[in-house]
Amino acid sequence: MFDTKNEKELIAIGQRIGQQLQKNDLIILTGDLGSGKTTLTKGIAKGLEIDQMIKSPTYTIVREYEGRLPLYHLDVYRIGNDSESIDLDDFVYGNGVTVVEWGELILEDLPSDYLQITISKTKAGRSLELTSNGVISAKRLEAILNAKN
């Protein structure tokens, strides 16, 4: 569990997460509209050594970025449970890291090993709860929690 007071701290947590990620890692981001999913992804991108400006993929569904590893940033809110409208395999089994905003909508179509990050608004800022679902994501979560700031 991480608590942040502002956007800068949320990005820093994302960077810490991104530094630990490896090829084929899958991150599911959940949280209300405006909770900070894209802001956290900006930090993850920094941790993956991506210099490009990260934009929400709300209308494009997928944005790809190049860094230490490719980042596939998806927002599946608009496709709902119609995951067949995009070829998820290209991203989840690609050569990079996949971050899926609203991924809980299509969990049945995703690999069973993923790290879920739930972002909640609090009076002081944001609270992040990280949950591993599988052996690989458990290792990644341990690395994130043990990483030095």
Side-chain angles (χ1 to χ4, degrees), residues 19-98:
Q19 289 169 337
Q20 302 305 316
L21 296 178
Q22 298 179 24
K23 179 181 171 185
N24 292 327
D25 281 348
L26 174 61
I27 309 293
I28 304 297
L29 299 181
T30 62
D32 293 336
L33 283 170
S35 62
K37 294 181 293 294
T38 299
T39 301
L40 183 67
T41 304
K42 289 177 183 181
I44 291 171
K46 283 182 80 169
L48 292 169
E49 301 169 20
I50 294 169
D51 296 327
Q52 295 166 269
M53 182 162 77
I54 305 301
K55 296 180 186 175
S56 174
T58 300
Y59 297 103
T60 58
I61 311 298
V62 180
R63 291 190 185 269
E64 296 182 39
Y65 304 94
E66 290 297 323
R68 172 176 62 82
L69 292 168
L71 171 62
Y72 308 112
H73 182 199
L74 288 75
D75 183 330
V76 297
Y77 183 78
R78 297 211 178 281
I79 65 170
N81 57 6
D82 182 23
S83 61
E84 292 181 16
S85 63
I86 61 170
D87 191 359
L88 289 171
D89 289 354
D90 287 349
F91 308 108
V92 233
Y93 300 108
N95 293 318
V97 169
T98 304

Side-chain angles (χ1 to χ4, degrees), residues 124-138:
R126 302 290 187 265
S127 177
L128 283 72
E129 181 180 346
L130 285 68
T131 309
S132 63
N133 294 279
V135 176
I136 295 169
S137 61

